[in-house]
Amino acid sequence: MQLTEQKCTACHKDAPRVTKEDIAELHPQVPDWQIIDVDGQSRLERIYKFPDFVSAIAFTNKVGEAAEAEGHHPALLTEWGKVTVTWWTHAISGLHRNDFIMAAKTDQIAAT
Ligand SMILES: C[C@H](O)[C@H](O)[C@H]1CNC2=NC(N)=NC(=O)C2=N1
């Protein structure tokens, strides 16, 4: 099943982080996302470009709606002409399958 069709599962502190094997399966499905390291924690990040501020903030709000619908929330930095979206799972201080699902949904929002 496509990541975009999947739902986030409830996150708790004992939820599993993605393994190397999981990442090998999941990252190719969201190839435009970088796995970054912030203070030793992995996060998924992508910068989307826009022609102006209004379209950047409209996209930001759509990602916010998707986050509320799934109960999983990103860091969003809206600037003139670009939005930086970062997904990770606070409860486990790292990457969960949910983050890859939300990265795929974010790409889908950007494509519409
Ligand atoms: C109770 C509530 O569902 C949790 O606090 C959720 C909210 N959104 C969340 N978002 C993210 N990215 N990570 C979390 O651990 C998280 N926890």
Side-chain angles (χ1 to χ4, degrees), residues 61-75:
N61 284 321
K62 282 189 213 163
V63 175
E65 282 169 25
E68 276 294 286
E70 293 287 343
H72 199 63
H73 302 88

Side-chain angles (χ1 to χ4, degrees), residues 64-112:
E65 282 169 25
E68 276 294 286
E70 293 287 343
H72 199 63
H73 302 88
L76 293 163
L77 174 63
T78 310
E79 299 172 77
W80 190 96
K82 71 176 185 178
V83 179
T84 305
V85 184
T86 314
W87 289 106
W88 76 99
T89 298
H90 320 142
I92 58 171
S93 301
L95 286 176
H96 184 275
R97 188 179 181 88
N98 287 346
D99 298 303
F100 287 87
I101 292 171
M102 293 312 293
K105 289 181 193 274
T106 309
D107 281 345
Q108 192 175 42
I109 291 165
T112 57

Side-chain angles (χ1 to χ4, degrees), residues 18-92:
V18 288
T19 63
K20 277 203 185 80
E21 291 74 22
D22 294 331
I23 291 172
E25 176 217 333
L26 294 167
H27 198 198
Q29 300 180 60
V30 286
D32 297 319
W33 291 74
Q34 277 194 282
I35 298 176
I36 61 163
D37 182 292
V38 179
D39 299 330
Q41 296 177 15
S42 294
R43 301 182 178 184
L44 281 173
E45 187 161 282
R46 180 170 177 186
I47 297 172
Y48 295 89
K49 298 286 177 63
F50 296 93
D52 52 35
F53 190 77
V54 168
S55 42
I57 198 131
F59 172 74
T60 302
N61 284 321
K62 282 189 213 163
V63 175
E65 282 169 25
E68 276 294 286
E70 293 287 343
H72 199 63
H73 302 88
L76 293 163
L77 174 63
T78 310
E79 299 172 77
W80 190 96
K82 71 176 185 178
V83 179
T84 305
V85 184
T86 314
W87 289 106
W88 76 99
T89 298
H90 320 142
I92 58 171

